[in-house]
Structure formats: C-alpha cells, structure tokens
Amino acid sequence: MAWSDVFGGARAAIARRELTSLSREKTIVLALLIQLFVAAFSSFLVVGLTSLYDPGSVSGGGVDVGITGDDVRDLEAAAASVDGVTALTFPDNAAATEAFQRGQVDAILATDRGADSRISVTATAPDNSLRTTLIVVQVRDVLEAYERAERQDRAGDIDAQLVSLPPEAPASPYFGFTYTVLLPLLLFLPPFISGSVAVDAVTEEIERGTLELLRVAPITLTDIVDGKAAAMAVLAPVQALLWLVLLWFNDIAISNVVPLVLVVAAVATIVVAIGVSMGLLLRERRSAQLVYSTGVLTLFGAAVFLPEHPATTVAKLAVGSPTTTTYGLVALYVAVAAALYAVVRRYVRGVDAESL
C-alpha cells in the first residue's frame, strides 16, 4: 500500500484529528518544547552538558597537585604537560598532607620506587568537594602522561612484547558529545514519544467507546488505524528535520540529512506499529504503555548485537563517515519497518471491530 493511500480520504481526516488533539496534551507539548529548546540552543547547552560528560574539557580554574616521594622530577614533568595543572613539590608525605588539609593543594601524588625499580603512585583527592570530579579527571591525565613517559624511558629494558599505546591525537570533547550523545537523543526521542502517543490514541478510543462511533462512518478499522499510525509516524521525522535545521543554525555541521531522516522515519514506523498492536491487544492504557515501554527499551538495548548500534549509525551519518555497513543498516531499518507495519495491518484487518 502506498503512503498516498494512507493519507487519502477518511485516513487523512483521522490523521488530522490526531495531530490536532496533540495540542491539548500538555505532557506531549512540554516534551516537544524541551526538545525544541535543546535543539535551538544546542551550541550553548553543549558546553554545559559536556562539563558533566567530560569535566576536564571545561576550563574552570586550575588544579594544584602536591607531589612528593622518590620520583618527583618525572612526575612534575608529567604534570607540566597537562593544561590546568600546577605541580607543587614537598619534601615528604607529611608536609604534602598538611598542605592538602589546609587547602593549599587540591590533590596529592606520592611516588614510591621499590627495590625492583617498580614505581607505585598513591593519589589523594577530596571526598566531598564540588570540584572532586574535575580534580580526579586532571589527576588521571597526569598519571596517563607519567605512564607514557615511563614506558618510553624503559623501552630498552623491556624483554616482553607489550601492547603499544595508541598515539595521542587532539580532539574536541564537544565534537564527541554532540554527535554521540546530543544528536541521537534529539533524533530517537521523537519516535519513542510517537509510539507512546499511538498507544494512547488506540486505547483511549477503546476505553471511551468512541471507536464504535467512528465505525458508524463508512470506514474500516484498518482505515482508523492507518490514520492514527500515519499521524504519529510522520510527526517524528518532521520533528527530526526541524531539529537538524536548528543544529545547523547553531553551526553544528550535519551530513547525510536524507538518510538520517529516513532512519528516524523507519524507527518511528517500527515503534508506532508496536504501540498500535499493544493498544489493540491489551485494550487498556496502563498495561499497554507498560508493555510498549518495556518492549521498546528491550529492543533498543538488544541493538548492541547489530554490527552498529543505531546511535552509532546516526553518528557516522552525521559526521560524514558512513560505511557500507551503515547504509546496509539504514536499508534494514526501512525493510523491517515496512514488513512490521504490513503484519500489523494484516492483523487489524482480521480483528472484528465489534469485539472491541
């Protein structure tokens, strides 16, 4: 069946009725406004959200680290290579601890060289401080730099074959957060909401008895389901396209817009088909919503077994680095959506409307 058939005649009227009724649903309107706000002001929000996602990416004051022990010089050099870290040396651990307790340093790194030349480093950081996360991240970076330096210095003394460390490469934390967290959130949230609304659209008609009134008109149950499903399935890709436009206005480059919208449309069709079928099977809103939410979350979690998770597919498309696997999964989502909705329509045609 062509999409033009879905929007024809009575189906179009039902679809318009569903979309109009959404304006009276305060929860749905609020969810849409929140998504609109995130997309419209994403360039500002990314900075604040990235501070939670990767606190070391945001410059919010330096971190003073007290260094003491047997290998002060090398550890001090490692601290100097990390932006935002200032190293202060102390003659012994007692002096460093006293400075830490007085608030003169934010953390302590104490080195101890054993008899076999192995070096252990004990890190001390505040427990209940608002800056604890930032301090821990900065200390971690210092220890990673220290490890790299030690591996290089001792390369000639190592007999066993070790796994080489990956080369350091400069990268913006905003880039990773935008394409792997923010963009999938904006693109996948509308389909999930559409599926939930589809559950309500079916169960409310059944519970209120208005489905029987619709059946008085010269339309079939399939026409009713098509109209409701089409309204919800089309709303999600329209939202996604709007969010992509707003991201573009925020100077966030998005590649492969058409495949991205196609993925959203396919996912929306899948979850709406699930929502409609749950509504018709369970006939009660609370139970149908519970089963729908559990089922969709389970499916999204099970997607990790695919060659690429849907979020990874979206990220690859958006940054302009899709592979053959990426395009293959896009085609797979479209095929699954078409097949699943065909199964749901076949089920609806076999349902006796009088039994509802």
Side-chain angles (χ1 to χ4, degrees):
M1 183 194 65
W3 278 106
S4 59
D5 296 334
V6 174
F7 287 103
R11 296 185 180 96
I14 294 173
R16 288 194 298 268
R17 173 176 172 267
E18 291 301 319
L19 292 175
T20 302
S21 66
L22 287 179
S23 62
R24 298 189 294 269
E25 296 288 340
K26 295 181 180 180
T27 303
I28 301 301
V29 172
L30 179 60
L32 296 178
L33 290 177
I34 292 174
Q35 295 174 66
L36 178 62
F37 178 81
V38 172
F41 299 96
S42 54
S43 60
F44 299 100
L45 294 175
V46 163
V47 176
L49 293 173
T50 306
S51 66
L52 300 176
Y53 172 75
D54 184 6
S57 65
V58 181
S59 58
V63 173
D64 297 326
V65 178
I67 297 177
T68 184
D70 301 327
D71 201 23
V72 172
R73 182 175 300 178
D74 290 342
L75 193 55
E76 187 177 12
S81 66
V82 178
D83 294 335
V85 175
T86 301
L88 303 175
T89 59
F90 293 90
D92 52 46
N93 192 50
T97 302
E98 183 178 356
F100 177 74
Q101 293 174 345
R102 292 180 178 179
Q104 296 175 352
V105 295
D106 299 303
I108 301 174
L109 292 178
T111 61
D112 181 26
R113 186 182 294 271
D116 56 355
S117 296
R118 291 188 178 185
I119 301 174
S120 62
V121 181
T122 302
T124 304
D127 185 18
N128 297 315
S129 170
L130 294 175
R131 300 182 69 234
T132 296
T133 304
L134 175 61
I135 294 171
V136 170
V137 170
Q138 294 292 73
V139 168
R140 179 201 64 191
D141 292 343
V142 172
L143 293 177
E144 287 179 352
Y146 182 60
E147 179 191 7
R148 287 180 180 274
E150 286 297 317
R151 286 171 65 97
Q152 291 177 357
D153 292 342
R154 302 186 181 203
D157 299 328
I158 298 176
D159 298 328
Q161 181 69 30
L162 300 180
V163 177
S164 59
L165 291 174
E168 292 184 284
S172 171
Y174 305 118
F175 181 89
F177 180 82
T178 299
Y179 291 101
T180 62
V181 178
L182 180 62
L183 185 63
L185 176 66
L186 288 174
L187 294 189
F188 287 128
L189 194 55
F192 293 157
I193 293 178
S194 293
S196 179
V197 175
V199 174
D200 287 348
V202 174
T203 55
E204 285 182 1
E205 299 282 11
I206 296 174
E207 291 177 345
R208 295 176 181 177
T210 52
L211 187 62
E212 295 299 328
L213 296 178
L214 288 174
R215 291 287 292 129
V216 174
I219 55 177
T220 64
L221 180 60
T222 304
D223 294 333
I224 297 172
V225 171
D226 280 344
K228 292 178 177 293
M232 298 303 104
V234 170
L235 181 61
V238 171
Q239 286 179 252
L241 184 59
L242 175 60
W243 304 159
L244 293 177
V245 171
L246 292 175
L247 290 175
W248 178 76
F249 273 112
N250 280 268
D251 294 327
I252 297 176
I254 304 294
S255 302
N256 299 299
V257 173
V258 173
L260 285 173
V261 175
L262 195 60
V263 170
V264 174
V267 173
T269 302
I270 292 172
V271 297
V272 166
I274 295 174
V276 168
S277 60
M278 290 301 99
L280 290 174
L281 284 170
L282 300 177
R283 307 180 185 180
E284 193 269 323
R285 178 179 179 275
R286 183 174 299 179
S287 300
Q289 284 287 5
L290 176 61
V291 175
Y292 163 79
S293 301
T294 304
V296 169
L297 290 176
T298 302
L299 285 176
F300 196 73
V304 298
F305 296 104
L306 293 173
E308 288 179 3
H309 193 273
T312 303
T313 299
V314 164
K316 284 187 172 183
L317 289 171
V319 300
S321 60
T323 62
T324 303
T325 301
T326 304
Y327 286 121
L329 287 174
V330 173
L332 176 63
Y333 297 147
V334 173
V336 170
L340 182 59
Y341 191 72
V343 171
V344 172
R345 291 189 82 248
R346 184 174 181 180
Y347 164 73
V348 172
R349 284 197 298 267
V351 173
D352 183 4
E354 296 297 330
S355 66
L356 297 176

